[in-house]
Amino acid sequence: MTMIRTRFAPSPTGYLHIGGARTALYSWLHTRRHGGRFVLRIEDTDRERSTPEAVNAILEGMAWLGLDYDEGPFYQTERFERYRTHLQTLLDTGQAYYCYCTRERLERVRNEQLARKEKPRYDGRCRDLDGPPSDEVSSEPVVRFRTPLEGHVVVDDAIRSKVQFLNAELDDLIIARGDGSPTYNFTVVVDDLEMGITDVIRGDDHLNNTPRQIHLYEALGAQPPRFAHVPMILGEDGKRLSKRHGSVSVLQYREEGYLPEALLNYLVRLGWSHGDQEVFDVEELIQLFDINEVNHSASTFNPSKLLWLNQQHIMRSEAPHVARHLAPLLAERDVDPGAGPNLETIVRMQQERAKTLVEMADNSLFFYRRPHAYEEKAARKNFKEGTAEILEHCQHRLSGLPEWSAEAIHGVVTEAAETFEVGMGKVAQPIRVAVSGGAVSPPIDQTLELLGRDETVARVEAAVEWLRSQPTG
Ligand code: GLU
């Protein structure tokens, strides 16, 4: 069997969105599973809409997701010479022809067809002429492909099975515009051909282009690749997924504290399953994913499922890996993750409770800086009459501990609870608010151990002072 070669061919007109990322993932998994090569091609021929920022967002998004490519990125704007050569071949062999029809004429033909309730299509006036027609001649002729008038094309799709198109329904496609620039269907075919692509995996919004592309392959004397058209992703309202449904940009999920493998896991499951398994790591997916098993109906994007998967991945990942993704979020919050307690230790303590890395970052800031205020609700609930005395007691015990360990700290909390005849929570919670500013943190003994004695004692002392400064009653 020949080596599998797939590609991802985004148009850089915006950020890398969820749908594009899933298409890239399916191609990538298919390639990796079969030991093939994955090519990245930037389809930037639409010069007005393509931007360098969008190219960067695509490259960055793919890098973050870990979708590495073996060749490219190739830019279509650097390949015009190649398109010209193949265009000339089609003209020379009579498989393409110049069409001189003016815009006005085409418009008129179209309106007449519509008035007769016919499907609008090019009427073929220039198809069999040797040169320009006698009237209504455009000075910038386009090049059209000579589509067979009869017969049909079958797209044998890995996901959709066989889809048949009648040639009579296909127009004589424009493959080069009046200014000589090639059009999408033509550049894709030339590129996929020259890049030796064996499997084209793309969104099913391109399914209608495929019969035209198959004709072009044949005209260029080549065997078409295998095709797999991936169904759409819908929002929960059944409409095509868009910004209205929340974040659709891959990098936005990085900002929101998602692990890339959680997003990949979510995306792969939109349209593919393996029994009732929900959580997959990437290596497993490479073993299991089969493009032929992708569901042919559209799937619905469910943000709460994604959030759940993120939590699962945060819980199951190795701490150094989570730490690597957490560090930039801390940096964004003006914290230097290198200047404080060990980040991996923080991750191990927080891993079980965070749904996102943003939540983990926010709940870990207190390890790096003192709370500048106490959360109102937490203070109201936990700073009561008598709390100052309990905290002061703990402050002295903690500063006198012969050894700074979670176990010894735990001993202080138990002892204080006994001394003041209160539950452990009446000791641990005020300490928690004192050191973290809020009412949630990992177990208090571990938290204080990691925070260190000096910081702990200083923060407890500050809380005592704050409590004493509050008006009573
Ligand atoms: N550039 C096209 C797009 O972004 C993809 C073309 C293809 O995969 O054939 O929709």
Side-chain angles (χ1 to χ4, degrees):
M1 205 174 101
T2 51
M3 184 197 266
I4 285 199
R5 292 175 59 86
T6 66
R7 49 43 164 206
F8 177 47
S11 305
T13 53
Y15 43 75
L16 176 59
H17 59 84
I18 291 291
R22 185 183 57 157
T23 304
L25 172 64
Y26 282 3
S27 289
W28 184 85
L29 286 173
H30 181 66
T31 318
R32 293 287 172 258
R33 174 174 180 176
H34 296 285
R37 297 191 50 92
F38 182 54
V39 177
L40 178 62
R41 181 170 75 228
I42 306 290
E43 305 209 319
D44 56 348
T45 52
D46 184 343
R47 290 200 162 132
E48 270 165 32
R49 293 177 59 225
S50 303
T51 64
E53 292 75 25
V55 172
N56 286 338
I58 290 167
L59 299 180
E60 208 179 325
M62 294 198 49
W64 179 67
L65 289 171
L67 301 178
D68 56 338
Y69 36 91
D70 307 300
E71 291 170 35
F74 298 113
Y75 293 84
Q76 287 195 320
T77 42
E78 291 169 9
R79 295 179 44 79
F80 280 115
E81 222 10 78
R82 303 306 310 147
Y83 309 134
R84 245 189 302 278
T85 305
H86 289 284
L87 191 68
Q88 198 54 52
T89 307
L90 292 183
L91 284 166
D92 291 346
T93 54
Q95 296 179 94
Y97 61 92
Y98 282 108
C99 168
Y100 298 87
C101 293
T102 57
R103 218 177 277 270
E104 294 70 33
R105 175 175 188 276
L106 293 174
E107 184 68 27
R108 199 178 63 238
V109 169
R110 184 188 149 81
N111 288 337
E112 287 166 5
Q113 287 167 335
L114 285 175
R116 291 197 299 268
K117 305 218 182 320
E118 289 169 13
K119 193 171 158 196
R121 65 200 315 279
Y122 179 56
D123 66 349
R125 177 177 75 142
C126 300
R127 189 173 155 115
D128 296 313
L129 297 180
D130 269 341
S134 50
D135 60 346
E136 292 191 286
V137 173
S138 159
S139 58
E140 287 203 320
V142 301
V143 178
R144 285 187 190 268
F145 178 68
R146 192 186 298 276
T147 305
L149 297 174
E150 284 159 15
H152 60 265
V153 204
V154 174
V155 180
D156 191 1
D157 192 89
I159 298 172
R160 301 296 213 92
S161 308
K162 291 190 165 50
V163 190
Q164 181 173 305
F165 295 85
L166 293 176
N167 287 334
E169 296 281 317
L170 307 175
D171 236 336
D172 274 1
L173 179 73
I174 297 178
I175 55 178
R177 300 181 189 91
D179 63 3
S181 62
T183 58
Y184 159 72
N185 279 295
F186 187 60
T187 56
V188 164
V189 168
V190 169
D191 287 344
D192 285 341
L193 190 82
E194 293 207 336
M195 295 173 190
I197 301 304
T198 59
D199 294 69
V200 168
I201 298 173
R202 62 180 168 203
D204 71 359
D205 46 338
H206 286 292
L207 184 62
N208 286 334
N209 289 320
T210 307
R212 306 172 201 281
Q213 293 180 11
I214 289 177
H215 281 311
L216 284 165
Y217 277 102
E218 284 164 358
L220 292 169
Q223 176 86 6
R226 288 180 289 267
F227 290 97
H229 288 91
V230 178
M232 278 202 294
I233 303 178
L234 306 176
E236 279 173 328
D237 56 0
K239 303 227 170 75
R240 200 193 175 111
L241 190 69
S242 76
K243 273 192 195 152
R244 281 179 300 119
H245 301 101
S247 308
V248 286
S249 136
V250 164
L251 290 175
Q252 182 68 28
Y253 283 94
R254 177 177 68 179
E255 293 311 301
E256 291 175 14
Y258 285 78
L259 280 174
E261 51 282 8
L263 189 55
L264 293 177
N265 188 161
Y266 183 70
L267 291 177
V268 82
R269 287 280 295 103
L270 272 178
W272 175 84
S273 58
H274 181 71
D276 47 19
Q277 184 173 345
E278 293 286 2
V279 185
F280 296 86
D281 64 37
V282 175
E283 283 310 312
E284 247 177 319
L285 289 176
I286 292 175
Q287 300 302 319
L288 296 172
F289 179 77
D290 185 344
I291 190 72
N292 297 297
E293 290 172 359
V294 170
N295 201 324
H296 57 261
S297 48
S299 31
T300 304
F301 191 78
N302 177 344
S304 40
K305 179 91 177 280
L306 170 57
L307 187 62
W308 178 81
L309 272 174
N310 197 43
Q311 187 176 21
Q312 296 301 314
H313 279 273
I314 290 175
M315 244 159 27
R316 293 168 193 223
S317 296
E318 299 287 338
H321 175 77
V322 179
R324 219 171 18 255
H325 289 283
L326 180 64
L329 295 174
L330 287 170
E332 271 173 27
R333 286 159 179 74
D334 290 328
V335 152
D336 173 1
N342 182 280
L343 189 57
E344 289 173 19
T345 312
I346 294 182
V347 167
R348 280 191 199 93
M349 288 168 59
Q350 300 278 35
Q351 241 170 334
E352 293 289 324
R353 68 195 76 243
K355 288 196 183 67
T356 69
L357 298 180
V358 161
E359 201 180 302
M360 193 185 285
D362 287 340
N363 290 338
S364 302
L365 290 177
F366 77 89
F367 281 114
Y368 297 89
R369 58 180 179 228
R370 297 190 180 173
H372 43 73
Y374 304 114
E375 279 170 26
E376 207 191 303
K377 206 170 133 208
R380 206 175 337 110
K381 184 142 182 268
N382 298 293
F383 287 172
K384 298 260 165 67
E385 224 187 302
T387 303
E389 286 66 41
I390 299 178
L391 285 179
E392 196 171 36
H393 177 88
C394 292
Q395 179 201 329
H396 293 309
R397 291 294 150 113
L398 290 168
S399 57
L401 273 183
E403 168 208 331
W404 190 253
S405 68
E407 216 184 345
I409 294 164
H410 187 76
V412 170
V413 176
T414 343
E415 184 272 337
E418 278 164 18
T419 306
F420 289 89
E421 295 181 352
V422 292
M424 296 262 284
K426 291 270 183 305
V427 181
Q429 275 305 89
I431 297 181
R432 182 169 274 127
V433 180
V435 298
S436 76
V440 277
S441 86
I444 197 67
D445 44 1
Q446 294 173 27
T447 302
L448 301 190
E449 181 187 30
L450 189 61
L451 196 58
R453 187 197 307 258
D454 292 349
E455 254 326 288
T456 301
V457 170
R459 292 186 193 187
V460 173
E461 187 177 2
V464 172
E465 271 170 33
W466 184 84
L467 278 163
R468 297 238 157 101
S469 71
Q470 298 301 297
T472 45

